[in-house]
Amino acid sequence: MAARSPYFAAEESARGIRPGESPAAALRRILATPGAHQAPCCFDALGARLVERAGFPIGFMGGTRNNSTQDFACSVFLEEAFGFCVSAARLGLPDVGLISYGEMVDQGRLINEAVSIPVIGDGDNGYGNSMNIKRTIKGYINAGFAGIMLEDQVAPKACGHTEGRKVIPRDEAIMHIKAAVDARKESGSDIVIVARTDSRQAISFDEALWRVKAFADAGADVLFIDALASVEEMKAFCAVAPEVPKMANMLEGGGKTPILSPAELEKIGFSLVVYPLSLVGVSMRAMQDALVAIKDGGVPPPSILPSFQEIKDTLGFNRYYKEEKQYQVDK
């Protein structure tokens, strides 16, 4: 099992993963503390570094999802972005199942090496059957992830905030979580398993409640129902298996789930809050604006362009030069 080793040793004041602590143990420790802990979705190592520098205790790497355009939240770049971000940033392609398991593991390894906070990776549906799920779990562990989210949609999948979703049968969905738990035990790992169901849209809200309770009984560590449609549904969800942390998805830009503050979400009972679109969305808009400025014969304005010194600070140039001096020899 690969060791988690950020390129630079983390500064103690900003450390999320403590010395001698696994990424998963750090995530479990954070989730055990009061609060609805925010985890912005990052899609590359630079974004993950910015999440950490901004003071967030957890990062979330989006994965793969076969999306639809039936809803505003799934149009243009506002497709349901757990899966959109990496496909867009790494391939420059829509998230329609084109990115592979191997590419996701590689992207995750680079992200995890860049930061000292725990990162959760979207594991999609595990890329196949239960045996595929076991391989996915072990691959995500070796990439340094603190947690992995697994869902119960059938292939081809679609955005959870649209109609017409389809999910695999109950028994198969439960067996997938059991396979993930077995793979974790076989690896001697404590990776956090986030179990997601899309059955709220595919079947009914009652079915979604049944499934998350069954996922908890099967060994899932965090529960997530996508596309909850009201505060009342959010409260009912948090009442199921109250000892198991719940995740909320704040789909920026117009999803089905109400957008609430962390304080409001904590009061309802959520422990983890994910923001899937913010970084990829503002990055696209800023790059578009910068290109317009250049095409018009100028340069991007200071409002969207950090100074060269700020860019170097973010990337760690000064830390690199300081550390490099320790190994210089007189000639």
Side-chain angles (χ1 to χ4, degrees):
M1 186 166 58
R4 177 70 170 273
S5 55
Y7 185 77
F8 293 112
E11 297 176 0
E12 194 65 35
S13 60
R15 186 183 295 276
I17 301 172
R18 295 172 177 172
E21 186 178 48
S22 71
L27 177 58
R28 292 176 185 277
R29 170 175 50 80
I30 293 167
L31 293 177
T33 62
H37 303 286
Q38 297 171 293
C41 188
C42 55
F43 49 87
D44 60 12
L46 177 58
R49 178 75 61 82
L50 292 171
V51 168
E52 181 177 31
R53 282 171 60 89
F56 291 98
I58 304 168
F60 195 109
M61 187 193 81
T64 59
R65 180 84 13 85
N66 188 2
N67 291 326
S68 166
T69 55
Q70 299 175 30
D71 189 291
F72 170 72
C74 293
S75 64
V76 196
F77 69 82
L78 288 178
E79 293 176 291
E80 205 253 331
F82 287 127
F84 180 79
C85 296
V86 175
S87 182
R90 186 177 174 103
L91 304 181
L93 292 173
D95 185 23
V96 290
L98 297 174
I99 196 166
S100 68
Y101 158 78
E103 290 168 316
M104 285 300 302
V105 169
D106 183 59
Q107 192 82 347
R109 177 182 59 80
L110 295 174
I111 284 175
N112 285 311
E113 286 180 354
V115 296
S116 295
I117 59 174
V119 179
I120 301 169
D122 184 358
D124 194 26
N125 63 353
Y127 306 98
N129 62 18
S130 292
M131 295 305 295
N132 292 104
I133 286 173
K134 294 184 74 172
R135 178 174 185 247
T136 297
I137 292 291
K138 294 174 182 180
Y140 275 51
I141 291 169
N142 284 329
F145 281 109
I148 180 172
M149 184 174 75
L150 297 170
E151 65 178 63
D152 61 357
Q153 278 201 57
V154 301
K157 300 171 299 298
C159 175
H161 287 248
T162 62
E163 304 301 328
R165 301 307 95 233
K166 294 181 180 180
V167 293
I168 59 179
R170 283 180 173 184
D171 292 346
E172 187 177 351
I174 296 169
M175 198 60 65
H176 284 185
I177 299 302
K178 289 182 177 179
V181 172
D182 288 344
R184 176 174 61 190
K185 291 178 181 177
E186 291 167 7
S187 301
S189 168
D190 55 349
I191 191 171
V192 173
I193 297 171
V194 181
R196 161 181 170 158
T197 182
D198 286 79
S199 55
R200 167 65 185 89
Q201 294 298 313
I203 302 176
S204 69
F205 179 56
D206 286 342
E207 176 68 14
L209 294 180
W210 189 96
R211 289 193 179 217
V212 291
K213 176 61 169 62
F215 293 162
D217 292 341
D221 303 294
V222 178
L223 304 176
F224 172 43
I225 299 177
D226 199 30
L228 292 171
S230 67
V231 171
E232 288 69 28
E233 288 189 0
M234 297 167 81
K235 290 179 178 178
F237 167 44
C238 288
V240 175
E243 72 283 358
V244 181
K246 310 299 191 303
M247 186 177 101
N249 177 24
M250 296 290 96
L251 181 59
E252 311 94 314
K256 294 183 178 295
T257 303
I259 301 296
L260 303 177
S261 70
E264 291 172 316
L265 291 167
E266 179 187 6
K267 186 175 181 180
I268 291 173
F270 289 98
S271 300
L272 177 63
V273 190
V274 177
Y275 301 84
L277 292 171
S278 294
L279 292 190
V280 70
V282 299
S283 297
M284 292 177 68
R285 177 60 57 83
M287 286 189 283
Q288 290 170 340
D289 291 346
L291 292 170
V292 168
I294 293 171
K295 191 173 183 180
D296 289 342
V299 295
S303 60
I304 65 170
L305 179 65
S307 70
F308 185 46
Q309 184 60 50
E310 289 174 318
I311 294 173
K312 290 193 297 181
D313 288 344
T314 298
L315 295 176
F317 273 86
N318 291 334
R319 293 181 66 185
Y320 175 87
Y321 294 141
K322 181 180 179 180
E323 187 173 333
E324 182 187 36
K325 290 179 180 179
Q326 300 177 32
Y327 306 102
Q328 289 181 343
V329 295
D330 297 330
K331 295 183 179 180

